[in-house]
Amino acid sequence: MSSPARAAAWSIAAHGLAVGRSPGAVDPATWDHLVPLVREERLTGLLVAAVDDGTLVVTPAQRAQARDEHASAMGHALRLEDRLLAGIEVLTGAGIEHRSLKGPSFAHLDYPDPSWRPFRDVDMLVRSNDLDGAVAALTRTGWARRAPRLSPTFDRRFAKSVTMVDPSGLELDLHRTLADGPLGMRLDLDAIWRDPAGVQLGGVEVQALGAAGRCTHACLNAVMTGPRGCMLAWRDVAQTALGGLTATSIVREAAAWRMEAVVAAAVVEAWRVFGLGETELSVWARARETSRREARELALYRRSGVSYGRRALASLRAIHGARDKAALLYAVAMPRHAFPAAGPRPYLTWWWRGAKRAFGPPRRRGAR
Amino acid sequence: MAAPPVYRRSERALWRRVGDDEVVVFGTGQLLRLRGTGRALWEVLETPLTLEAAAEVLAGAYRASPGVVHTDLVAAMAKLLEHRVVFVVQMQPGT
């Protein structure tokens, strides 16, 4: 990917943050690289906003192309919101408490216009003990699990989320926690439910995380995207942190979630990539000392080439009790519920794929 | 004389702006891209209105003749009603 296109994309990602970064005019060769990059990075809303207010100077044909890209992204977002509402209806009917996460929440609650924040899937949070019931309720209405559960208790004890797919192929991620690996195990799962925010969507009052919670989640998501992470994930950090919250409220929420190191790291990086001026929050973030354990765990997400095996092992360290550690290892090694009545062959395939994932590089994560 | 109907957006309809001259609306399983008159009508229906009232608002905003605007709005409204993203709220009480 050409550097001028990536530089222009970062400028677009910073649109509206008042940092004085303007891509100005983009030459045709750079534009041809920029458009697919903006599409991949989910920056079409910010691109169109920059075009409309003259920050980015384009030709009429380029303007039309930007509009078409964004209309496509918005059409997808609307279909996903429709599925989100369908999922909410099912869970509400089953008496299962839930929260809407990430994309739709950020779009409606944190950005000046929801069209600035596209998303590719929808995520909902349920309590660990409700996860199996939520999966069952959605299954009864035509949704299906993307992957089988590994053991009867795996999902509610160890899984980050369960991905459900509706008949049209749209995905809904049902979360019990907000990160994989050791960060997901350390997260205070009671704290993340406190102080929800409501948003009207399609005539329904949708519950989301509170403002400080969304900021903390944005930081966690950005840190998990890794060293060459998604631009929109970093924009979410800046957008939520600069959206009217006090530094004190953000730091307090981070502490309640046990994610202070994550928030500090995310703020330092977001301020760096966008060239933001110092604020009370960024001063705190730079000054905060990271413990050796925190640095070790953050490195698992921030360093490229870290294998899933190392991250999984670090999860074991974050789990208390030998019995739970053994249960996790056994469920991953012998997923009997995934292969209910089979001989050794599916297990051999499972172990081979697991080894490839364990010792291969992580797939690139991004803001969803 | 029968009172003109009052129209409103469907609560269930989901929508987004695409730049400053287009909106996409998702109603009953279908996606609509609205530009020009359709977009303007959708925006002005943030408040329930009769077609005549909508025409007056838009005629003022675009410095056009209310009669001409009204004619354009009839077709646009028919499309919104067809896709069930707009409904008739009530008939205004007769005078």
Side-chain angles (χ1 to χ4, degrees), chain A residues 187-200:
Chain A
L187 192 61
D188 187 319
L189 296 185
D190 291 323
I192 65 180
W193 283 87
R194 291 197 283 260
D195 301 326
V199 57
Q200 282 291 325

mmCIF file with all atom_site columns, all heavy atoms in Angstrom, chain A residues 187-200:
data_model
loop_
_atom_site.group_PDB
_atom_site.id
_atom_site.type_symbol
_atom_site.label_atom_id
_atom_site.label_alt_id
_atom_site.label_comp_id
_atom_site.label_asym_id
_atom_site.label_entity_id
_atom_site.label_seq_id
_atom_site.pdbx_PDB_ins_code
_atom_site.Cartn_x
_atom_site.Cartn_y
_atom_site.Cartn_z
_atom_site.occupancy
_atom_site.B_iso_or_equiv
_atom_site.pdbx_formal_charge
_atom_site.auth_seq_id
_atom_site.auth_comp_id
_atom_site.auth_asym_id
_atom_site.auth_atom_id
_atom_site.pdbx_PDB_model_num
ATOM 1   N N   . LEU A 1 187 ? -10.683 -8.752  33.209 1.00 0.00 ? 187 LEU A N   1
ATOM 2   C CA  . LEU A 1 187 ? -11.721 -7.736  33.176 1.00 0.00 ? 187 LEU A CA  1
ATOM 3   C C   . LEU A 1 187 ? -12.761 -7.986  34.271 1.00 0.00 ? 187 LEU A C   1
ATOM 4   O O   . LEU A 1 187 ? -13.200 -9.123  34.453 1.00 0.00 ? 187 LEU A O   1
ATOM 5   C CB  . LEU A 1 187 ? -12.380 -7.773  31.798 1.00 0.00 ? 187 LEU A CB  1
ATOM 6   C CG  . LEU A 1 187 ? -13.309 -6.651  31.382 1.00 0.00 ? 187 LEU A CG  1
ATOM 7   C CD1 . LEU A 1 187 ? -12.595 -5.334  31.365 1.00 0.00 ? 187 LEU A CD1 1
ATOM 8   C CD2 . LEU A 1 187 ? -13.881 -6.964  30.012 1.00 0.00 ? 187 LEU A CD2 1
ATOM 9   N N   . ASP A 1 188 ? -13.144 -6.943  34.981 1.00 0.00 ? 188 ASP A N   1
ATOM 10  C CA  . ASP A 1 188 ? -14.179 -7.075  36.005 1.00 0.00 ? 188 ASP A CA  1
ATOM 11  C C   . ASP A 1 188 ? -15.539 -7.131  35.315 1.00 0.00 ? 188 ASP A C   1
ATOM 12  O O   . ASP A 1 188 ? -16.051 -6.108  34.847 1.00 0.00 ? 188 ASP A O   1
ATOM 13  C CB  . ASP A 1 188 ? -14.108 -5.891  36.974 1.00 0.00 ? 188 ASP A CB  1
ATOM 14  C CG  . ASP A 1 188 ? -15.042 -6.062  38.161 1.00 0.00 ? 188 ASP A CG  1
ATOM 15  O OD1 . ASP A 1 188 ? -16.189 -6.535  37.963 1.00 0.00 ? 188 ASP A OD1 1
ATOM 16  O OD2 . ASP A 1 188 ? -14.658 -5.720  39.283 1.00 0.00 ? 188 ASP A OD2 1
ATOM 17  N N   . LEU A 1 189 ? -16.127 -8.314  35.272 1.00 0.00 ? 189 LEU A N   1
ATOM 18  C CA  . LEU A 1 189 ? -17.354 -8.518  34.496 1.00 0.00 ? 189 LEU A CA  1
ATOM 19  C C   . LEU A 1 189 ? -18.586 -7.934  35.183 1.00 0.00 ? 189 LEU A C   1
ATOM 20  O O   . LEU A 1 189 ? -19.643 -7.866  34.575 1.00 0.00 ? 189 LEU A O   1
ATOM 21  C CB  . LEU A 1 189 ? -17.568 -10.003 34.204 1.00 0.00 ? 189 LEU A CB  1
ATOM 22  C CG  . LEU A 1 189 ? -16.489 -10.641 33.317 1.00 0.00 ? 189 LEU A CG  1
ATOM 23  C CD1 . LEU A 1 189 ? -16.857 -12.084 32.982 1.00 0.00 ? 189 LEU A CD1 1
ATOM 24  C CD2 . LEU A 1 189 ? -16.288 -9.851  32.039 1.00 0.00 ? 189 LEU A CD2 1
ATOM 25  N N   . ASP A 1 190 ? -18.477 -7.541  36.423 1.00 0.00 ? 190 ASP A N   1
ATOM 26  C CA  . ASP A 1 190 ? -19.589 -6.832  37.062 1.00 0.00 ? 190 ASP A CA  1
ATOM 27  C C   . ASP A 1 190 ? -19.520 -5.343  36.747 1.00 0.00 ? 190 ASP A C   1
ATOM 28  O O   . ASP A 1 190 ? -20.534 -4.706  36.472 1.00 0.00 ? 190 ASP A O   1
ATOM 29  C CB  . ASP A 1 190 ? -19.548 -7.052  38.584 1.00 0.00 ? 190 ASP A CB  1
ATOM 30  C CG  . ASP A 1 190 ? -19.883 -8.482  38.964 1.00 0.00 ? 190 ASP A CG  1
ATOM 31  O OD1 . ASP A 1 190 ? -20.767 -9.071  38.293 1.00 0.00 ? 190 ASP A OD1 1
ATOM 32  O OD2 . ASP A 1 190 ? -19.268 -9.020  39.899 1.00 0.00 ? 190 ASP A OD2 1
ATOM 33  N N   . ALA A 1 191 ? -18.305 -4.797  36.759 1.00 0.00 ? 191 ALA A N   1
ATOM 34  C CA  . ALA A 1 191 ? -18.133 -3.364  36.543 1.00 0.00 ? 191 ALA A CA  1
ATOM 35  C C   . ALA A 1 191 ? -18.631 -2.930  35.164 1.00 0.00 ? 191 ALA A C   1
ATOM 36  O O   . ALA A 1 191 ? -19.164 -1.833  35.003 1.00 0.00 ? 191 ALA A O   1
ATOM 37  C CB  . ALA A 1 191 ? -16.666 -2.968  36.721 1.00 0.00 ? 191 ALA A CB  1
ATOM 38  N N   . ILE A 1 192 ? -18.463 -3.778  34.169 1.00 0.00 ? 192 ILE A N   1
ATOM 39  C CA  . ILE A 1 192 ? -18.801 -3.358  32.806 1.00 0.00 ? 192 ILE A CA  1
ATOM 40  C C   . ILE A 1 192 ? -20.311 -3.194  32.610 1.00 0.00 ? 192 ILE A C   1
ATOM 41  O O   . ILE A 1 192 ? -20.755 -2.582  31.641 1.00 0.00 ? 192 ILE A O   1
ATOM 42  C CB  . ILE A 1 192 ? -18.219 -4.313  31.745 1.00 0.00 ? 192 ILE A CB  1
ATOM 43  C CG1 . ILE A 1 192 ? -18.825 -5.709  31.822 1.00 0.00 ? 192 ILE A CG1 1
ATOM 44  C CG2 . ILE A 1 192 ? -16.713 -4.384  31.872 1.00 0.00 ? 192 ILE A CG2 1
ATOM 45  C CD1 . ILE A 1 192 ? -18.264 -6.672  30.769 1.00 0.00 ? 192 ILE A CD1 1
ATOM 46  N N   . TRP A 1 193 ? -21.109 -3.704  33.551 1.00 0.00 ? 193 TRP A N   1
ATOM 47  C CA  . TRP A 1 193 ? -22.568 -3.594  33.414 1.00 0.00 ? 193 TRP A CA  1
ATOM 48  C C   . TRP A 1 193 ? -23.140 -2.333  34.053 1.00 0.00 ? 193 TRP A C   1
ATOM 49  O O   . TRP A 1 193 ? -24.308 -2.011  33.839 1.00 0.00 ? 193 TRP A O   1
ATOM 50  C CB  . TRP A 1 193 ? -23.238 -4.823  34.057 1.00 0.00 ? 193 TRP A CB  1
ATOM 51  C CG  . TRP A 1 193 ? -23.126 -6.023  33.185 1.00 0.00 ? 193 TRP A CG  1
ATOM 52  C CD1 . TRP A 1 193 ? -22.110 -6.923  33.141 1.00 0.00 ? 193 TRP A CD1 1
ATOM 53  C CD2 . TRP A 1 193 ? -24.080 -6.448  32.200 1.00 0.00 ? 193 TRP A CD2 1
ATOM 54  N NE1 . TRP A 1 193 ? -22.367 -7.882  32.192 1.00 0.00 ? 193 TRP A NE1 1
ATOM 55  C CE2 . TRP A 1 193 ? -23.571 -7.621  31.602 1.00 0.00 ? 193 TRP A CE2 1
ATOM 56  C CE3 . TRP A 1 193 ? -25.316 -5.961  31.775 1.00 0.00 ? 193 TRP A CE3 1
ATOM 57  C CZ2 . TRP A 1 193 ? -24.253 -8.311  30.607 1.00 0.00 ? 193 TRP A CZ2 1
ATOM 58  C CZ3 . TRP A 1 193 ? -26.003 -6.651  30.779 1.00 0.00 ? 193 TRP A CZ3 1
ATOM 59  C CH2 . TRP A 1 193 ? -25.461 -7.806  30.198 1.00 0.00 ? 193 TRP A CH2 1
ATOM 60  N N   . ARG A 1 194 ? -22.313 -1.634  34.824 1.00 0.00 ? 194 ARG A N   1
ATOM 61  C CA  . ARG A 1 194 ? -22.853 -0.495  35.582 1.00 0.00 ? 194 ARG A CA  1
ATOM 62  C C   . ARG A 1 194 ? -23.088 0.717   34.680 1.00 0.00 ? 194 ARG A C   1
ATOM 63  O O   . ARG A 1 194 ? -22.429 0.892   33.663 1.00 0.00 ? 194 ARG A O   1
ATOM 64  C CB  . ARG A 1 194 ? -21.901 -0.132  36.717 1.00 0.00 ? 194 ARG A CB  1
ATOM 65  C CG  . ARG A 1 194 ? -21.862 -1.208  37.797 1.00 0.00 ? 194 ARG A CG  1
ATOM 66  C CD  . ARG A 1 194 ? -21.263 -0.676  39.082 1.00 0.00 ? 194 ARG A CD  1
ATOM 67  N NE  . ARG A 1 194 ? -19.821 -0.575  39.022 1.00 0.00 ? 194 ARG A NE  1
ATOM 68  C CZ  . ARG A 1 194 ? -18.970 -1.474  39.546 1.00 0.00 ? 194 ARG A CZ  1
ATOM 69  N NH1 . ARG A 1 194 ? -19.440 -2.548  40.145 1.00 0.00 ? 194 ARG A NH1 1
ATOM 70  N NH2 . ARG A 1 194 ? -17.669 -1.296  39.479 1.00 0.00 ? 194 ARG A NH2 1
ATOM 71  N N   . ASP A 1 195 ? -24.038 1.548   35.089 1.00 0.00 ? 195 ASP A N   1
ATOM 72  C CA  . ASP A 1 195 ? -24.295 2.856   34.462 1.00 0.00 ? 195 ASP A CA  1
ATOM 73  C C   . ASP A 1 195 ? -24.508 2.782   32.952 1.00 0.00 ? 195 ASP A C   1
ATOM 74  O O   . ASP A 1 195 ? -23.786 3.429   32.180 1.00 0.00 ? 195 ASP A O   1
ATOM 75  C CB  . ASP A 1 195 ? -23.127 3.818   34.753 1.00 0.00 ? 195 ASP A CB  1
ATOM 76  C CG  . ASP A 1 195 ? -22.920 4.015   36.243 1.00 0.00 ? 195 ASP A CG  1
ATOM 77  O OD1 . ASP A 1 195 ? -23.934 4.009   36.975 1.00 0.00 ? 195 ASP A OD1 1
ATOM 78  O OD2 . ASP A 1 195 ? -21.763 4.155   36.676 1.00 0.00 ? 195 ASP A OD2 1
ATOM 79  N N   . PRO A 1 196 ? -25.503 2.027   32.482 1.00 0.00 ? 196 PRO A N   1
ATOM 80  C CA  . PRO A 1 196 ? -25.729 1.944   31.036 1.00 0.00 ? 196 PRO A CA  1
ATOM 81  C C   . PRO A 1 196 ? -26.258 3.248   30.465 1.00 0.00 ? 196 PRO A C   1
ATOM 82  O O   . PRO A 1 196 ? -26.757 4.107   31.193 1.00 0.00 ? 196 PRO A O   1
ATOM 83  C CB  . PRO A 1 196 ? -26.787 0.840   30.921 1.00 0.00 ? 196 PRO A CB  1
ATOM 84  C CG  . PRO A 1 196 ? -27.535 0.897   32.215 1.00 0.00 ? 196 PRO A CG  1
ATOM 85  C CD  . PRO A 1 196 ? -26.514 1.275   33.262 1.00 0.00 ? 196 PRO A CD  1
ATOM 86  N N   . ALA A 1 197 ? -26.111 3.382   29.155 1.00 0.00 ? 197 ALA A N   1
ATOM 87  C CA  . ALA A 1 197 ? -26.697 4.512   28.438 1.00 0.00 ? 197 ALA A CA  1
ATOM 88  C C   . ALA A 1 197 ? -27.755 3.965   27.487 1.00 0.00 ? 197 ALA A C   1
ATOM 89  O O   . ALA A 1 197 ? -27.617 2.856   26.975 1.00 0.00 ? 197 ALA A O   1
ATOM 90  C CB  . ALA A 1 197 ? -25.626 5.248   27.648 1.00 0.00 ? 197 ALA A CB  1
ATOM 91  N N   . GLY A 1 198 ? -28.806 4.744   27.252 1.00 0.00 ? 198 GLY A N   1
ATOM 92  C CA  . GLY A 1 198 ? -29.864 4.306   26.354 1.00 0.00 ? 198 GLY A CA  1
ATOM 93  C C   . GLY A 1 198 ? -29.833 5.100   25.068 1.00 0.00 ? 198 GLY A C   1
ATOM 94  O O   . GLY A 1 198 ? -29.431 6.267   25.047 1.00 0.00 ? 198 GLY A O   1
ATOM 95  N N   . VAL A 1 199 ? -30.212 4.451   23.979 1.00 0.00 ? 199 VAL A N   1
ATOM 96  C CA  . VAL A 1 199 ? -30.317 5.147   22.696 1.00 0.00 ? 199 VAL A CA  1
ATOM 97  C C   . VAL A 1 199 ? -31.540 4.607   21.963 1.00 0.00 ? 199 VAL A C   1
ATOM 98  O O   . VAL A 1 199 ? -31.811 3.402   21.984 1.00 0.00 ? 199 VAL A O   1
ATOM 99  C CB  . VAL A 1 199 ? -29.028 4.984   21.852 1.00 0.00 ? 199 VAL A CB  1
ATOM 100 C CG1 . VAL A 1 199 ? -28.697 3.537   21.602 1.00 0.00 ? 199 VAL A CG1 1
ATOM 101 C CG2 . VAL A 1 199 ? -29.129 5.757   20.558 1.00 0.00 ? 199 VAL A CG2 1
ATOM 102 N N   . GLN A 1 200 ? -32.281 5.514   21.324 1.00 0.00 ? 200 GLN A N   1
ATOM 103 C CA  . GLN A 1 200 ? -33.457 5.117   20.560 1.00 0.00 ? 200 GLN A CA  1
ATOM 104 C C   . GLN A 1 200 ? -33.025 4.637   19.182 1.00 0.00 ? 200 GLN A C   1
ATOM 105 O O   . GLN A 1 200 ? -32.334 5.340   18.443 1.00 0.00 ? 200 GLN A O   1
ATOM 106 C CB  . GLN A 1 200 ? -34.417 6.298   20.396 1.00 0.00 ? 200 GLN A CB  1
ATOM 107 C CG  . GLN A 1 200 ? -35.249 6.588   21.630 1.00 0.00 ? 200 GLN A CG  1
ATOM 108 C CD  . GLN A 1 200 ? -36.281 5.498   21.917 1.00 0.00 ? 200 GLN A CD  1
ATOM 109 O OE1 . GLN A 1 200 ? -36.839 4.905   20.996 1.00 0.00 ? 200 GLN A OE1 1
ATOM 110 N NE2 . GLN A 1 200 ? -36.512 5.227   23.194 1.00 0.00 ? 200 GLN A NE2 1
#
